Each structure stands twice: as structure tokens, then as C-alpha cells.
Amino acid sequence: MKMVKSLLLGSAAGLVAVVGAQAADLPVKAKPVEYVKVCSLYGAGFYYIPGTDICMKMGGYVRAQYYYNTGTAPSTGVMFGPASAQQSNLVGFANDTVMRTRAVWTVDTRSQTEWGTLRTYVLMGFNHDTPGGSSFGGNAASLYATRGFIQFAGFTFGKAQSFYDLYSTPAVTYFGIAASDTGDAGVMLAAYTAQLGNGVSATIAAEEPRRMAIINTIQSNQFTVGGPVNNDYGTVKWPDVVANIRVDQAWGSFQVMGALHDASAAYNFTNAAQNTCNPANGTGTITGSMLCGSGDSALGFAVGVGARVKTDFISRGDSFQFQVNYTEGATRYAIYTPSSAGSLAAFSGGNSLGLGWLTDGIYINNGSLELTKVLGVNASYEHVWTPALKTSLYGGWFNIEHSQAAALAQCASQSGGSNTISFATNCDPDFSFWYIGSRTQWNIRPDFYMGVDVLYHRLETAFAGAANYTALTGAPRTSGVYAIENQDALSVTFRVHRDIVP
């Protein structure tokens, strides 16, 4: 009996030990895992940031592009800037071919408040062009950020697309053609948009000034061929004031817009050698000009109208867009790109030259400030052949005019400095230019495409006739008498593009 009792007690003890050991081997219960959840409030691609109510979408793209005859750089344009104009074989001027690689990353975050959606958006990019305008191995790769804004309760603060814009250049072409579109670069702004119902909205904005040039003609040889010309713009006193009324409905969009722009001159120039405020023509200088007081004040403006129309009634997926702008003293509301690189100019075979200067105003010998007038038109049509193949036809026309007094002052200011003309047989600085192009794009996948774009550019020159040209220092092109006549150019580009999407 004692033996049986001992066996039972021993077995019980062994069972307890085994059960205890097995219990010790069981895994400890893990903390709950926070899986990333889809956020369906703002469309495809948004996810909740774990532990928050913030929805985030990340995207971007990688792009390779190859250009023929596009000037010193793809962002410059074939007829803009002094280096592009020279058409020289010397390194440092326009190359026949340029290659570009670009990569962009975007972050879009949104969340709800009692005043509506709170949104932030950031766009950062990497760009590398080769060969560069002034180097053997190409320009250094650059990092940039062209978007960074906050939207809340109808307000937009930061760097975004101008509220003056409607016509979209990137929608129809791979070139940085002349247009008022700020979409690629963006501008600094603070804006309020009121939703009026039925797709109608109204916006008022304070935006980064779109400046071109103010030239005081009392100083000679400021009108360099193709050069950015500016010697007397005042400091920024107030931002540009932009307003629009816009309609967005199922058929497309329509917008009327306007802008006010400070186009004031800085100072009346002085004759520094004599310390006087009445310099003779051509002898004026900004040096010491505080003595002579502030220059003439002027208010520039721009007005525009545009539309985007879905033309499914012609063919499914087709679309048409246009924008017309008229400016006085606010040239970049008609020609935002690529005019920051300089004015229009192009040499061609023999002694042939076409040119035209882009300014906001001509300050006539410390006297009156004459504002430059610009009329610009952009239009495009896109046809969808198949869901994977589409072709766009686009064009633009721009006319630049000056008063008679501004024209005479420009001619008198040209006396033969480096890279200038003088003794023009026709004193007429008015000019126009236009272009027409076509892009065909093959969408291999919704996020991957290849395409070809062909662009013809025509400059209807200022000062048509003849003039003396004084060579640009360090450039191979010679001085001499040149025929001032119309110029044209043909450019081609090929692009491969892959979107990065969630």
C-alpha cells in the first residue's frame, strides 16, 4: 500500500512538473500590430499614417529625355538667351544635342478638421542635363523643390501654381514653350478661394511678382543681343495681386483672370563723373543715383481668359484648351517660360540676325516710364487614337509693342557695346514670334509612356533691315553689318517616363 501511494504521489508530481514546463514554453501574447490601412476619403493611393488620422499618398516619376536643337539647355529654348543666339561651335554656347535625366518625389497628406480638409503637399526633384551650356562634362546634377504648400479652409499658403494659370503646357508638349503657365516652377503665394456653388469659384491671391526688366535708356548699350536686359527695376514694394473667377464642370473648365503688378523704376540715373542729375544721353549710371531721387512709378496689369473643353462629341477622350492674355508692364503674365533665360535672338547662316527684347517698361532718359504691351495666345487640341496612343497639336503667338517714344529711346541707347547692334536702318523694336508643334505619346502602361515631340519656332524680328553688330567678347562670331531679318528653328525631343505610384 505504501508502495502504491508513493507511485501515485510521484506520478502526480511528475505530471505537475511537465505541465509547468509546457506552460513556461508557451509564447507570451504579442502586442497588437498596427497594420497600414487604406484611406478611401481622398481617392486611390492614400493610406493612414499608423497611430494618426492623417492620410498620406506618395508618388513621383523618373524620366529620361533627349533633345535636338533646343539651345543651351532644355529649359532655355532655342531662341532665348545670348548663348543660344550665337549658334557657335565653341564650347559654352548652344549644343546641338542635350540629354536630361529627372526624378521627382511627391508627398501629399490630408486630414479632416471642423473647417474642412487640411492638406500639405511637397514636391522635390533631381535634375541633370548634359552637356551643359558652359562645361565639357555637363551641368552638375541639381536638387530642387517646386512645391510646398498648405491648404486649409479655402486658403493656400506656400509655393504652388499661380491662380492666374489655366492653360497647361505639360499636358500637350515636352518642351518648355512660351506661355503664362507657372505649373513646372510654381510661385510663392497666399490665396483664398471661395466656392460659390455649381462648380463656380472665385480666388484672390498675393503672389510672387512676375518681373521682366525696366531699362533706363540714359545708360547706353544695355540692349545686349538675347541678353536679360534690366538696369533700373525698383525693389519689391508689394506682391502681385491676382484674382480669378473659374467654372469647373463635367464638360471642362472656364476662367477669367487678372493681375496687378508694380512696374516702377528704381532711380533717376546720374552722371557720376560730374555728380549731376541731368546726364547727357548715354552717360547715365546707377552709381550715386540716390542723389537724383526715385524713378517713375507705374502700375502694370494683365487680363486673361481661357478654357479647357472635353470634346467627346468629336471623338471620345479628345480635348481642347486655350488662353489669351493681354499685359501692360507685366510681360511674364503672357510669357512666363522660358523668358527668364533672356530675350529672343538668333543668328543664322552668314551675317543674318533676328532679335527682340522682352521688357516690362522703357524708362526714357530719367523722364517717363513707357510700359511694354504684350498680346499672347496659346491653344492646343489633343486626339486620342486608341486608349494607348494620343497626339496633340499645339501653338502659340505673341506680339510685343512699344510706344513711339520708347522706340526712339531704345535706338538712341545703342552705340556699339559688346554684343549689341547700332545704327539700325529701321528703328522699330516691335516684334512677334510664334510656334507650332505636335507630340505623339504611346502609353505602354497607365504609368509608363514614351513619346516624340516636334516644334517649329518662328521669330518675326524687331529692327528689320540692317545694323552694325559688335561681337560678344570671347565669342567667335565677328563684328560687321548684319541683315536684321526673320529667323526660324526646328527642334525635336524624345521622352521615356515612368510614374512612381503607390
Side-chain angles (χ1 to χ4, degrees), residues 78-81 84-87 225-226 343-348 352-356 459 461 477 482-483 485-489:
V78 66
M79 287 189 178
F80 287 82
S84 294
Q86 288 288 315
Q87 296 294 307
V225 173
S343 294
L344 284 96
F347 291 90
S348 58
S352 178
L353 168 63
L355 75 167
L459 169 61
T461 190
R477 187 167 294 279
Y482 278 68
E485 54 193 3
N486 300 337
Q487 305 290 331
D488 55 12

Side-chain angles (χ1 to χ4, degrees), residues 15-35:
L15 182 62
V16 170
V18 170
V19 171
Q22 289 179 339
D25 291 337
L26 291 174
V28 177
K29 187 177 181 181
K31 293 182 179 180
V33 177
E34 288 193 75
Y35 293 99

Side-chain angles (χ1 to χ4, degrees), residues 20-342:
Q22 289 179 339
D25 291 337
L26 291 174
V28 177
K29 187 177 181 181
K31 293 182 179 180
V33 177
E34 288 193 75
Y35 293 99
V36 176
K37 298 179 181 179
V38 173
C39 175
S40 59
L41 295 174
Y42 310 108
F46 282 90
Y47 296 87
Y48 283 103
I49 298 175
T52 75
D53 64 348
I54 300 173
C55 296
M56 179 174 68
K57 178 179 181 179
M58 293 190 293
Y61 63 79
V62 176
R63 175 186 298 167
Q65 195 158 338
Y66 309 89
Y67 299 84
Y68 172 76
N69 197 29
T70 189
T72 54
S75 301
T76 301
V78 66
M79 287 189 178
F80 287 82
S84 294
Q86 288 288 315
Q87 296 294 307
S88 168
N89 286 329
L90 181 67
V91 67
F93 297 98
N95 296 285
D96 290 341
T97 60
V98 176
M99 295 181 284
R100 164 175 285 184
T101 296
R102 175 173 287 182
V104 164
W105 192 262
T106 62
V107 180
D108 189 346
T109 64
R110 307 185 196 188
S111 57
Q112 289 300 305
T113 74
E114 58 183 304
W115 295 280
T117 301
L118 171 62
R119 182 191 184 197
T120 59
Y121 185 85
V122 176
L123 183 152
M124 297 174 289
F126 152 88
N127 191 85
H128 192 185
D129 296 339
T130 186
S134 59
S135 63
F136 294 94
N139 291 338
S142 61
L143 297 175
Y144 63 91
T146 57
R147 290 291 186 278
F149 61 80
I150 300 170
Q151 290 181 316
F152 170 69
F155 290 94
T156 302
F157 302 102
K159 190 171 190 179
Q161 185 167 4
S162 170
F163 284 92
Y164 187 89
D165 295 353
L166 183 71
Y167 183 89
S168 174
T169 298
V172 293
T173 177
Y174 302 151
F175 288 102
I177 54 176
S180 68
D181 183 15
T182 64
D184 189 29
V187 296
M188 302 290 192
L189 55 79
Y192 178 73
T193 300
Q195 299 297 332
L196 306 179
N198 198 31
V200 180
S201 63
T203 298
I204 184 75
E207 297 192 358
E208 172 185 343
R210 299 196 196 188
R211 297 181 138 203
M212 182 60 69
I214 298 293
I215 293 294
N216 192 330
T217 55
I218 201 71
Q219 184 177 11
S220 64
N221 296 326
Q222 296 301 297
F223 293 94
T224 55
V225 173
V229 289
N230 181 41
N231 68 358
D232 202 15
Y233 229 128
T235 56
V236 175
K237 304 296 191 301
W238 44 274
D240 287 1
V241 179
V242 174
N244 74 42
I245 297 177
R246 177 167 174 155
V247 179
D248 293 288
Q249 295 181 348
W251 54 266
S253 303
F254 175 81
Q255 180 173 296
V256 292
M257 51 282 205
L260 297 176
H261 171 76
D262 181 14
S264 301
Y267 289 103
N268 294 310
F269 282 12
T270 182
N271 185 325
Q274 301 176 4
N275 201 32
T276 63
C277 293
N278 55 345
N281 187 43
T283 65
T285 176
I286 192 69
T287 304
S289 58
M290 280 189 179
L291 173 71
C292 304
S294 298
D296 199 11
S297 297
L299 180 64
F301 70 89
V303 291
V305 61
R308 299 177 188 166
V309 181
K310 298 176 182 178
T311 55
D312 289 338
F313 55 89
I314 297 176
S315 182
R316 181 174 294 276
D318 286 14
S319 61
F320 168 75
Q321 65 170 341
F322 79 92
Q323 186 168 324
V324 180
N325 304 293
Y326 176 77
T327 74
E328 292 189 13
T331 296
R332 293 194 75 189
Y333 280 93
I335 312 169
Y336 185 79
T337 53
S339 54
S340 59

Side-chain angles (χ1 to χ4, degrees), residues 417-431:
S418 172
N419 196 34
T420 67
I421 63 168
S422 57
F423 301 104
T425 59
N426 177 21
C427 181
D428 182 8
D430 295 352
F431 70 100

